[in-house]
């Protein structure tokens, strides 16, 4: 790492150089954080010495008006002509946690732990909050890119990069605008069957909601999971990063309190999930294991007297049921019980059925995310059960899209294309393709 500043001899203990031309070797990446009017000269110096990529953190470009927009477009043309790639301007940098890179080219005070999730954000300040929130959730990242104005490197470019990145299994997008929606749809549709893409979009629309409807259709046809906000984005990411999508929409709810269970059933219905009656064999297994006081319908109410062993037996039974695709486990910790024992029981049962997702909500429990976290397995935990149900609903809808055969354009015989064009031309303004 080479600090470059004409006014300093040392920066943070490292020797500083007056110019990029004075560096002892060409860097792989230049992180540019100078005033806007100085950026073009710095980028030209980078091109002269053979830098292959620049990240322009500096502000003062397209957001300032027409002249600033012209400057950033000229910057993009120059970098492309020079064989460089440009991230930004007006971005907060990039992060790559993979062992080969371990790069934190950002001014964010919070950095994510290594993981399987990659994210692109079009907002710099939002990116700062995202990285801090992800760290508190213990959601690990393989990479993070703040694209800023995206005059060169775009969301579409990053999708193609993460498509081939073996360290990335889930892709998150904060998208405000689409440079090329048709290309986005083509790329996303190719990636989504193998790697889920979860996106949040502000949903700008006219009074009739046309623009937002178009975005929703674009995402739905491309297999992109659209969430209503950042909290839901991370809720879904937490599930998909650690659990498989459910093979169907049939959910079992296990609880030691009736009230939260009723809320969960309602949330499941609102999220496109079903909470079906359990099969006779499953009810018999539950009745033998749990005793006469437990309600072995669905939801399965273990009562406040439930122990960790009861949770393990109940979860084992419903996950073994061929008519159940996923489980939501609720725990209201009484004073006499130990949440760590219940968490261990849930992990053990989930490990036995790795093809069916398990999510949890420990209401009122502090530090539960740590309890449901092992080196080989993580059960996503949510503060409230509605979030667990909503995340499962998104995952189930994604799996349904993924398993639906791809459509084909039919070749219909006997079509008179010329006659069709002439009929349309009589009704529609403008040329007919």
């Amino acid at each position: 790492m080479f600090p470059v500043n004409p006014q300093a001899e040392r920066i943070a203990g490292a020797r500083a150089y007056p110019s990029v031309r004075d560096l002892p070797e060409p860097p792989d990446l230049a992180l540019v954080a100078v005033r806007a009017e100085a950026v073009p000269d710095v980028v030209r110096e980078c091109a002269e010495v053979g830098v292959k990529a620049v990240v322009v953190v500096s502000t003062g470009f397209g957001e300032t008006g027409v002249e600033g927009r012209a400057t950033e477009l000229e910057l993009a043309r120059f970098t492309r002509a020079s064989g460089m790639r440009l991230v930004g301007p007006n971005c907060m940098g990039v992060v790559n946690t993979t062992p080969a890179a371990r790069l934190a080219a950002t001014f964010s005070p919070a950095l994510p732990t290594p993981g399987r999730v990659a994210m692109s954000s079009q907002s710099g300040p939002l990116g700062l909050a995202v990285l801090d929130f992800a760290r508190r959730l213990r959601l690990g990242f393989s990479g993070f890119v703040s694209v800023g104005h995206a005059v060169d490197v775009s969301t579409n470019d990053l999708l193609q990069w993460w498509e081939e990145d073996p360290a990335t299994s889930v892709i998150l997008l904060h998208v405000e605008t689409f440079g090329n929606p048709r290309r986005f749809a083509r790329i996303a549709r190719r990636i989504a069957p193998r790697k889920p893409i979860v996106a949040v979009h502000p949903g700008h629309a006219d009074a009739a909601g046309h623009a937002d409807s178009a975005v929703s259709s674009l995402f739905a046809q491309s297999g992109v999971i659209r969430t209503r906000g950042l909290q839901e984005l991370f809720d879904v990411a937490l599930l998909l990063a650690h659990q498989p999508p459910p093979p169907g929409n049939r959910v079992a709810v296990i609880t030691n309190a009736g009230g939260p269970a009723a809320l969960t059933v309602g949330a499941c219905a609102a999220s496109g999930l079903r909470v079906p009656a359990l099969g006779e064999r499953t009810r018999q297994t539950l009745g033998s294991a749990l005793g006469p006081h437990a309600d072995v319908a669905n939801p399965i109410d273990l009562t406040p007297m439930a122990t960790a062993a009861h949770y393990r037996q109940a979860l084992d039974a419903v996950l073994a049921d061929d008519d159940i695709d996923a489980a939501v486990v609720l725990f209201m910790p009484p004073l006499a019980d130990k949440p760590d024992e219940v968490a261990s029981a849930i992990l053990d049962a989930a490990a036995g059925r790795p093809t069916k997702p398990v999510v949890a909500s420990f209401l009122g429990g502090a530090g539960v995310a740590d309890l449901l976290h092992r080196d080989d397995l993580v059960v996503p935990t949510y503060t409230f059960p509605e979030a667990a149900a909503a995340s499962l609903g998104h995952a189930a809808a994604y799996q349904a899209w993924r398993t639906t055969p791809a459509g084909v354009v039919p070749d219909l015989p006997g079509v008179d294309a010329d006659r069709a064009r002439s009929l349309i031309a009589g009704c529609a303004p403008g040329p007919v393709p």
Side-chain angles (χ1 to χ4, degrees), residues 46-62:
C46 290
E48 289 174 11
V49 302
V51 175
K52 295 301 181 185
V54 290
V55 175
V56 179
V57 173
S58 309
T59 61
F61 291 91

Side-chain angles (χ1 to χ4, degrees), residues 170 196 236 238-248 319 325-327 350 353-359 377-380 391-392 394-396 398-399 402:
V170 179
V236 176
L238 199 61
L239 190 157
L240 293 174
H242 299 301
Q243 295 280 311
L319 292 178
D325 301 306
R353 295 282 176 173
T355 60
K356 295 184 178 183
V358 177
V359 296
L377 178 64
V378 175
V379 171
S391 299
L392 267 180
H394 281 300
Y398 162 71
Q399 179 66 4
R402 193 167 68 165

Side-chain angles (χ1 to χ4, degrees), residues 156-235:
N156 290 342
D157 294 317
L158 295 172
L159 281 172
Q160 292 177 95
W161 169 257
W162 288 323
E163 176 185 14
E164 303 299 331
D165 179 21
T168 298
S169 58
V170 179
I171 299 170
L172 307 184
L173 304 177
H174 165 252
V175 184
E176 294 179 346
T177 59
F178 293 92
N180 189 329
R182 181 172 294 179
R183 185 164 176 256
F184 172 86
R186 211 166 42 237
I187 295 169
R189 194 179 296 117
R190 185 179 70 233
I191 297 171
R194 295 183 294 109
K195 297 183 179 184
I197 302 170
V198 190
V200 62
H201 183 276
H204 302 307
D206 58 23
H210 292 148
D212 191 56
S213 177
V215 171
S216 293
S217 297
L218 173 66
F219 284 157
Q221 294 173 18
S222 307
V224 176
I225 302 169
R226 184 181 186 182
T227 63
R228 292 167 292 185
L230 287 172
Q231 178 70 61
E232 195 173 74
L233 179 86
F234 282 101
D235 287 343

